[in-house]
Amino acid sequence: MTEAHSVKRQARGRQRIADILDAALALFAQNGYEGTSTNAIAARAGISPGSLYQFFPNKEAIAEALSARLLEQMRAAHSSAFDLAQVTDLTLHELIDRMVDPLIAFNLANPGAKALMANTDLPARLQGAARPLQQAVVDRVAAIIGARSPRLPAAERNLAAMVAVRIVVAMMPPIVTAQGAERNALIAELKKALHGYVLPIEAH
Amino acid sequence: MTEAHSVKRQARGRQRIADILDAALALFAQNGYEGTSTNAIAARAGISPGSLYQFFPNKEAIAEALSARLLEQMRAAHSSAFDLAQVTDLTLHELIDRMVDPLIAFNLANPGAKALMANTDLPARLQGAARPLQQAVVDRVAAIIGARSPRLPAAERNLAAMVAVRIVVAMMPPIVTAQGAERNALIAELKKALHGYVLPIEAH
Amino acid sequence: MTEAHSVKRQARGRQRIADILDAALALFAQNGYEGTSTNAIAARAGISPGSLYQFFPNKEAIAEALSARLLEQMRAAHSSAFDLAQVTDLTLHELIDRMVDPLIAFNLANPGAKALMANTDLPARLQGAARPLQQAVVDRVAAIIGARSPRLPAAERNLAAMVAVRIVVAMMPPIVTAQGAERNALIAELKKALHGYVLPIEAH
Amino acid sequence: MTEAHSVKRQARGRQRIADILDAALALFAQNGYEGTSTNAIAARAGISPGSLYQFFPNKEAIAEALSARLLEQMRAAHSSAFDLAQVTDLTLHELIDRMVDPLIAFNLANPGAKALMANTDLPARLQGAARPLQQAVVDRVAAIIGARSPRLPAAERNLAAMVAVRIVVAMMPPIVTAQGAERNALIAELKKALHGYVLPIEAH
DNA sequence: GATGAATGAGGATTCATTCAT
DNA sequence: AATGAATGAATCCTCATTCAT
């Protein structure tokens, strides 16, 4: 009985948190972090301002949790696409497809994500919170590059991963904004840029 | 007499505006657009809040004017570096050097510029204000590409210019932040990325 | 069966109330009345906020009940020390010892009591709640003075009792705060003050 | 011209500050520190909440400034009454009159003063702000005792001053509250208490 | 033209109290 | 009876903007 209670309660709690993060994601995407009030988040989440603070101690914590959630979702989206072992069997074109496509799909599904990925929005104090999101992707890309080019020094590998991710992130806003053929053209261009950058690196 | 007055007055007015924009640039760079109060801008410009509103109707207008000024400065920095006529005589490496180096110099000299170039900081309503800044650079790059590859369709030329500029902008924050050898490595990497992207385009 | 239930229930209820008042006493002493949240009281009492309101209709009622409990405890502490009949046989020094010492012991044992005795903390609306606490002591002191100086008019007797109690209360905070020799010096000083005040009154 | 401006401005500023402190004094006296909102202070002072913060950085600062102002007023009221040199020529009765009467006058004129003198109200963090108020009086009293009883060790002198002041402060609330004959009776009683306490001390 | 005091709506956060479970 | 999530009014404080001087 008590257990049933607590199970239901926890489920409701998780749902509340999800609602809050959904609301925050939408509002951050629209108005930025500073432009979004906690009361607005609460209202969009369908709860009272007081309730919001039962789940998050302050506004920053919402941004942090949102970052973490996006990170997790992105990791999931990514790792399901292919595993490190097979990475050496792919052509560079195939590799880029498998890496970029899920990222684009993720950003299309989470239009607010860019607000946190391109972390220029948040106050300096908070940018650390969004860092892991990008960094996680960078690490994964570095691992893939390492698997394919084992002789590449670690420093160069990490640098290349960072640059590649920055290129992807930089192209994300127009890709998300565009529609249909235009979007496809942008995606093709992004892939060309990655190919042109990575090909010489893989060739030593 | 009246003329002399008005001349001095206008000169002083221009100086005031410059002071305000300088102050805004420094503060936006440090605290972001939302994190910067108009009173703080006025204080740093050495004037009263009331005076600030004699030159700008509201906070947004300051960001817009700042964008415009940065644009103008960047255009100047750029066009002084080389002129379109000679552009076809350069190797791609030379071309990239002549385009990227002044941009980097400009961003190092104006550390706040990135706050407006990577426009994610501003509220959605305002991002249009920063658009011209990037767009002007894109146009110039498109012109250069057009001069070197006259058979490239306009659409592709513009797309390529946009992508190239986005890559440059994306790399600017770490470049500005880094120091010495690390910065040089980042610059080299940026140039490699541009080279890898543009080379196939120029080859048709 | 029902009776047994209700007996146990009432016992548990009393325990709950005692727990709540203990918690409130500790927290009021530490953070004052306004600085103490009902949720904090409930938490320290080991119950839920909802349960707290099953025993007290609101926060004020807790302060009132706490006052009443302290009063009762003080009365008990006092009357056990000596009884009115013997009061005439004591020297003034002895009398003061017998009155002051238990009061000090009580305050040392209940460090939060002073928050209610020196009632300046509570909102004006509430100060009436703490009145009885002091008034009860005043009445007892007045009775003692009356027993020793039967010819003293009632008005003067009550006035003297009030003044004496105020002097005691005024000295309580430093006495409770101090330690060892310093505390003893303060107690001695308090007794000197009382002696100096009461002696002329007893001499007519 | 500018000077005239600034003179007027400063005068207005001082008036504003005085108004704010008056408002705060009245409201603190009525509802205590925590029970008084900064908006309420602003409203009673006839200004906007924003204006209040042009003069005080936060609520605490208001309490501190109020303490300081009361202290200054009290010092003034006191030192005008008599000077240390003549203190030895007075009888104890005269001395007590000259010390107590201005204090009572001061408290009657500033009914809110007691809220800060009996510092139990303020949050622990703030009590230091009110300390100087009492301490200044204690110091002055100690100096007077020292002048009259030069052989009394400093420690005893300070202790006696502290006790005397506590007795005065303890009697202030009923004195301020009472009226006419009742008030006079209370004042007489306070003086008797002081006399009874100090006389043996002066006699060694 | 310049000043800076004044404004007041709005934002993050707390907390006494209620109520569905 | 008990729980603790939910409420929402109220708090302190900020800041874009105005206006009397």
Side-chain angles (χ1 to χ4, degrees):
Chain A
M1 195 158 57
T2 304
E3 277 176 41
H5 264 189
S6 106
V7 165
K8 247 196 263 173
R9 232 174 238 165
Q10 277 183 250
R12 201 169 48 192
R14 265 196 303 276
Q15 187 52 49
R16 286 281 198 244
I17 288 180
D19 292 346
I20 292 169
L21 295 184
D22 290 344
L25 184 57
L27 291 170
F28 286 173
Q30 205 164 75
N31 310 323
Y33 176 80
E34 305 269 16
T36 301
S37 80
T38 55
N39 281 17
I41 295 173
R44 189 183 238 260
I47 61 174
S48 68
S51 283
L52 189 156
Y53 282 84
Q54 217 136 21
F55 298 99
F56 297 97
N58 51 43
K59 194 180 173 185
E60 293 194 12
I62 299 173
E64 279 166 32
L66 189 50
S67 261
R69 192 180 75 168
L70 287 170
L71 168 60
E72 196 44 54
Q73 290 175 344
M74 195 146 71
R75 231 201 291 262
H78 223 178
S79 55
S80 73
F82 63 105
D83 75 287
L84 264 185
Q86 316 168 323
V87 122
T88 48
D89 300 336
L90 302 171
T91 66
L92 184 52
H93 280 295
E94 287 169 337
L95 178 74
I96 287 173
D97 285 348
R98 295 230 199 160
M99 294 195 54
V100 168
D101 290 342
L103 274 176
I104 289 173
F106 172 75
N107 274 275
L108 288 176
N110 299 279
K114 116 194 120 143
L116 289 174
M117 294 206 57
N119 54 16
T120 352
D121 177 36
L122 300 107
R125 197 171 67 266
L126 260 183
Q127 299 200 0
R131 185 69 42 82
L133 223 175
Q134 277 210 28
Q135 193 54 48
V137 183
V138 169
D139 290 346
R140 177 140 190 98
V141 171
I144 291 166
I145 293 176
R148 290 173 60 95
S149 307
R151 303 233 284 279
L152 198 67
E156 288 183 37
R157 182 206 313 154
N158 290 327
L159 190 56
M162 188 266 250
V163 173
V165 170
R166 282 194 168 263
I167 292 173
V168 173
V169 169
M171 289 300 294
M172 217 46 95
I175 288 173
V176 168
T177 304
Q179 302 270 349
E182 199 191 349
R183 177 186 289 164
N184 288 335
L186 288 164
I187 294 173
E189 215 61 21
L190 163 60
K191 289 179 178 176
K192 272 161 57 180
L194 290 173
H195 193 268
Y197 174 59
V198 176
L199 191 60
I201 291 173
E202 294 208 330
H204 303 179
Chain B
M1 196 157 59
T2 307
E3 275 174 42
H5 261 186
S6 108
V7 165
K8 248 196 260 171
R9 214 175 261 167
Q10 279 183 253
R12 204 168 44 193
R14 266 195 303 277
Q15 187 51 49
R16 289 279 204 243
I17 289 179
D19 292 346
I20 292 169
L21 295 184
D22 288 345
L25 183 57
L27 292 170
F28 286 173
Q30 207 164 70
N31 311 325
Y33 175 79
E34 305 270 14
T36 300
S37 78
T38 54
N39 281 11
I41 295 173
R44 190 183 235 261
I47 61 172
S48 68
S51 287
L52 189 154
Y53 280 83
Q54 217 128 24
F55 296 100
F56 297 97
N58 52 42
K59 193 179 174 183
E60 295 191 10
I62 299 173
E64 280 165 30
L66 187 52
S67 264
R69 191 180 77 168
L70 286 171
L71 164 61
E72 195 45 54
Q73 290 174 346
M74 195 146 70
R75 230 199 298 258
H78 225 178
S79 53
S80 73
F82 63 105
D83 74 286
L84 265 185
Q86 313 169 324
V87 122
T88 48
D89 302 336
L90 303 171
T91 66
L92 183 52
H93 280 295
E94 287 169 337
L95 177 73
I96 288 173
D97 285 346
R98 296 229 198 158
M99 296 196 54
V100 167
D101 290 341
L103 272 176
I104 290 174
F106 174 74
N107 274 275
L108 289 176
N110 298 280
K114 114 194 124 148
L116 290 174
M117 295 204 58
N119 53 17
T120 352
D121 177 37
L122 300 111
R125 196 170 68 261
L126 262 183
Q127 299 200 358
R131 186 67 44 80
L133 222 176
Q134 278 208 27
Q135 193 54 49
V137 184
V138 169
D139 290 346
R140 176 140 191 98
V141 172
I144 290 167
I145 294 177
R148 288 171 63 94
S149 307
R151 305 232 284 280
L152 199 67
E156 287 185 37
R157 182 207 313 157
N158 289 328
L159 191 54
M162 187 267 250
V163 172
V165 170
R166 283 196 165 262
I167 292 174
V168 174
V169 169
M171 289 299 293
M172 217 47 95
I175 287 173
V176 169
T177 303
Q179 302 269 352
E182 197 190 350
R183 177 186 290 165
N184 289 334
L186 288 164
I187 293 173
E189 216 61 22
L190 164 59
K191 289 178 178 176
K192 273 161 58 181
L194 289 173
H195 193 269
Y197 174 59
V198 176
L199 190 60
I201 291 174
E202 293 208 332
H204 303 181
Chain C
M1 196 156 58
T2 306
E3 275 175 43
H5 262 186
S6 109
V7 165
K8 249 197 262 172
R9 215 175 260 168
Q10 279 183 253
R12 203 167 47 192
R14 264 195 304 277
Q15 187 52 48
R16 288 278 203 245
I17 289 180
D19 292 345
I20 293 169
L21 295 184
D22 289 345
L25 183 58
L27 291 170
F28 286 172
Q30 207 163 70
N31 311 324
Y33 175 80
E34 305 271 13
T36 301
S37 78
T38 54
N39 281 12
I41 295 173
R44 190 184 237 259
I47 61 172
S48 68
S51 287
L52 189 155
Y53 281 83
Q54 217 127 26
F55 298 100
F56 297 97
N58 52 42
K59 194 181 174 184
E60 294 192 12
I62 299 173
E64 280 165 31
L66 187 52
S67 263
R69 192 181 76 169
L70 286 171
L71 166 61
E72 195 44 53
Q73 290 174 344
M74 195 147 72
R75 230 199 298 259
H78 224 177
S79 53
S80 74
F82 64 105
D83 73 286
L84 265 186
Q86 314 167 325
V87 122
T88 48
D89 300 337
L90 303 171
T91 66
L92 184 51
H93 280 294
E94 287 169 337
L95 177 74
I96 288 173
D97 286 346
R98 295 227 198 161
M99 294 195 56
V100 168
D101 291 340
L103 272 175
I104 290 174
F106 173 75
N107 274 275
L108 288 175
N110 298 279
K114 119 194 120 148
L116 290 174
M117 294 205 58
N119 53 17
T120 352
D121 178 37
L122 299 110
R125 198 170 67 261
L126 262 181
Q127 299 199 0
R131 186 66 44 82
L133 222 176
Q134 278 208 28
Q135 194 53 48
V137 183
V138 169
D139 290 346
R140 177 141 189 98
V141 172
I144 290 167
I145 293 176
R148 289 172 62 95
S149 306
R151 302 232 285 279
L152 200 68
E156 287 184 38
R157 182 206 313 154
N158 289 328
L159 191 55
M162 187 265 251
V163 173
V165 170
R166 282 195 167 264
I167 292 173
V168 173
V169 169
M171 289 298 295
M172 216 46 96
I175 288 173
V176 169
T177 304
Q179 302 268 351
E182 198 190 351
R183 177 186 288 164
N184 289 334
L186 288 164
I187 294 173
E189 216 62 20
L190 164 60
K191 289 178 177 176
K192 272 161 58 180
L194 290 173
H195 193 268
Y197 174 59
V198 175
L199 190 59
I201 291 174
E202 294 208 332
H204 303 183
Chain D
M1 196 156 57
T2 305
E3 276 174 42
H5 264 187
S6 107
V7 164
K8 246 196 265 173
R9 231 174 237 163
Q10 277 184 252
R12 201 168 49 191
R14 264 197 302 279
Q15 187 52 49
R16 287 281 197 243
I17 289 180
D19 292 346
I20 292 169
L21 295 183
D22 290 345
L25 185 56
L27 292 169
F28 286 172
Q30 204 164 75
N31 310 323
Y33 175 80
E34 305 270 15
T36 300
S37 80
T38 55
N39 280 16
I41 295 174
R44 189 182 237 260
I47 61 174
S48 68
S51 284
L52 190 156
Y53 283 86
Q54 216 138 21
F55 297 99
F56 297 97
N58 52 45
K59 193 181 173 184
E60 293 193 13
I62 299 173
E64 278 165 32
L66 189 50
S67 263
R69 191 180 76 169
L70 287 170
L71 167 59
E72 196 44 54
Q73 290 175 345
M74 196 147 71
R75 232 200 294 260
H78 223 177
S79 54
S80 72
F82 65 105
D83 75 287
L84 266 185
Q86 313 167 325
V87 121
T88 48
D89 301 336
L90 303 171
T91 66
L92 183 53
H93 279 295
E94 287 168 337
L95 178 74
I96 288 173
D97 285 347
R98 295 229 200 160
M99 296 195 52
V100 168
D101 291 341
L103 273 176
I104 289 173
F106 172 75
N107 274 275
L108 288 176
N110 299 278
K114 111 193 126 145
L116 290 174
M117 295 205 56
N119 54 16
T120 351
D121 177 36
L122 300 108
R125 197 171 67 265
L126 262 183
Q127 300 201 357
R131 186 68 42 83
L133 224 175
Q134 277 209 30
Q135 193 55 49
V137 184
V138 169
D139 289 346
R140 177 141 189 97
V141 172
I144 291 167
I145 294 177
R148 290 172 61 95
S149 308
R151 304 233 284 278
L152 198 68
E156 288 184 37
R157 181 206 314 155
N158 290 326
L159 191 56
M162 187 266 251
V163 173
V165 170
R166 282 195 168 264
I167 292 174
V168 174
V169 169
M171 288 299 294
M172 217 47 96
I175 287 174
V176 169
T177 304
Q179 303 269 350
E182 197 189 350
R183 177 186 289 165
N184 289 334
L186 288 164
I187 294 172
E189 216 61 21
L190 163 60
K191 289 178 178 176
K192 274 162 54 181
L194 289 173
H195 194 269
Y197 174 59
V198 176
L199 190 60
I201 292 174
E202 294 208 330
H204 303 178

